[in-house]
Amino acid sequence: MNASVTDAAPDLRADSAVPERWWTVALSEELDAGALLAICCQGIEYVLFRDSTGAARALRDQCAHRRAPLSLGRLTPEKYLECPYHGWRYDGASGQCVGIPNFSAEEKVPRNYRTGSYKIIEQDGFIHMYTGGLHVEQPAQFPARIRLGGLDGWRGGLTLAYPHEYLVDLLMDAPGAVLEIPGVAVINNHRYGDPLMVAGCVVSTFAADRAASVRGRKKVVGDYPLALVVSVAVDGHLAEAKLQTDAGEMIATVGIGMYPDKPPLSSVRWRGTAAAADEMRPLLAVRTQIDAHAVKSSKPFASRLRKTGQP
Ligand code: FES
């Protein structure tokens, strides 16, 4: 099917309705092997892929011609993203259309034939995207408190039928409702000390126990053998959960990237590692379903600190 020059859609560079900010939207491996990764963040569709240099790129998942989803297209040998409908080709770095099949060799593609393009930072196996476009200062670092490096033991991702804002609050106030820790029960209502604000994160520590031991324990004890330290970035795009012994020795750590998908969904990605090399199995991950029972009994404590600055 041919495209006429005159039916080009408007320039799609600006998403003025979407707050301009960073979200952690994918794991590095998801873009391997020439993949086109379609994501939805805050209700807007994006497509992520790697260009000819191997750099991760993000474009609006909408062709500037007739708005076909570019994620249904293909990567050309030059690693341009080609629309599945009439074959317009896009440069991943700029969003500029660089080729239209029915143009003659003398015709130049107008500069306003382009789709939205977005700044990407790929770091420690996570891909972070800025929804405001390309022109943004690179942050010196994401919250220093969140560990991203060296989380190479296991990884995962899923979409939860739970709004992002509530998910972030739950991670702070009832992490056992969100996290799956095989053989371990997090005592959501047994917090050690007040939550703290540290380096852009709300940090809370919860008692945890071997699941088999929980029933036999008396209700009030101060000697739980395990602890779960949860750090959540105030803006809710990253979190870290660390399972450790009561003496503070790390057992397993997981870094979690989150973003609001199409409302009311949330998308979550994680990478984890264990202290013991022979324990490299998913010791800490995100549940496939939020534990509704734990949600009911949670109290807005750390989440209040996040929103108001007051515990
Ligand atoms: S919709 Fe025509 S080239 Fe994409």
Side-chain angles (χ1 to χ4, degrees):
M1 200 180 302
N2 285 338
S4 74
V5 178
T6 53
D7 59 4
D11 184 337
L12 294 174
R13 278 172 295 184
D15 291 325
S16 54
V18 177
E20 299 183 355
R21 50 160 300 173
W22 289 96
W23 290 110
T24 302
V25 293
L27 300 177
S28 293
E29 293 85 350
E30 293 180 88
L31 303 190
D32 288 349
L36 300 180
L37 178 67
I39 66 162
C40 181
C41 182
Q42 294 174 295
I44 303 287
E45 314 280 351
Y46 303 89
V47 54
L48 278 64
F49 60 99
R50 292 192 188 281
D51 69 11
S52 59
T53 68
R57 301 296 185 191
L59 296 181
R60 181 82 174 269
D61 194 8
Q62 196 175 88
C63 180
H65 181 216
R66 295 276 185 90
R67 304 195 174 188
L70 295 173
S71 57
L72 298 181
R74 65 168 193 127
L75 285 176
T76 67
E78 306 82 19
K79 302 296 185 215
Y80 293 131
L81 180 50
E82 185 179 275
C83 178
Y85 203 5
H86 310 100
W88 287 25
R89 295 179 171 190
Y90 293 89
D91 172 55
S94 64
Q96 178 70 46
C97 175
V98 293
I100 295 179
N102 59 331
F103 270 26
S104 68
E106 292 75 42
E107 284 178 287
K108 281 216 162 58
V109 178
R111 287 181 62 80
N112 66 333
Y113 284 19
R114 60 196 305 159
T115 194
S117 50
Y118 305 88
K119 182 94 169 179
I120 289 275
I121 294 176
E122 185 169 10
Q123 180 182 306
D124 298 316
F126 287 94
I127 292 177
H128 314 275
M129 182 184 78
Y130 184 70
T131 56
L134 289 172
H135 305 293
V136 59
E137 289 288 316
Q138 182 152 329
Q141 56 185 349
F142 289 104
R145 175 84 202 180
I146 307 284
R147 175 179 171 179
L148 292 179
L151 299 174
D152 296 326
W154 59 87
R155 60 181 182 268
L158 51 80
T159 300
L160 291 165
Y162 205 76
H164 171 265
E165 272 295 297
Y166 295 157
L167 180 68
V168 174
D169 288 352
L170 261 190
L171 262 175
M172 294 179 178
D173 284 323
V178 179
L179 300 175
E180 181 82 52
I181 313 178
V184 171
V186 179
I187 317 300
N188 290 314
N189 61 2
H190 196 108
R191 194 190 297 263
Y192 291 130
D194 287 339
L196 302 170
M197 191 74 87
V198 184
C201 297
V202 175
V203 183
S204 302
T205 303
F206 295 82
D209 201 351
R210 301 288 169 199
S213 311
V214 170
R215 281 191 176 181
R217 284 197 183 273
K218 289 181 186 159
K219 214 163 181 187
V220 181
V221 293
D223 60 345
Y224 287 102
L226 303 172
L228 183 75
V229 184
V230 182
S231 307
V232 184
V234 170
D235 67 4
H237 78 294
L238 276 175
E240 180 200 63
K242 192 162 45 172
L243 182 68
Q244 60 188 38
T245 67
D246 197 35
E249 291 163 347
M250 194 272 273
I251 299 171
T253 304
V254 70
I256 303 168
M258 303 169 279
Y259 64 89
D261 203 296
K262 197 183 292 286
L265 306 177
S266 303
S267 278
V268 188
R269 264 82 169 176
W270 62 90
R271 313 183 75 94
T273 194
D278 58 354
E279 284 277 17
M280 286 300 173
R281 55 196 164 81
L283 297 177
L284 247 173
V286 176
R287 290 177 181 272
T288 53
Q289 280 192 320
I290 300 294
D291 178 351
H293 185 72
V295 175
K296 268 190 184 169
S297 57
S298 73
K299 295 203 170 63
F301 194 33
S303 55
R304 193 162 55 222
L305 174 62
R306 171 185 172 229
K307 288 167 186 158
T308 66
Q310 302 292 322

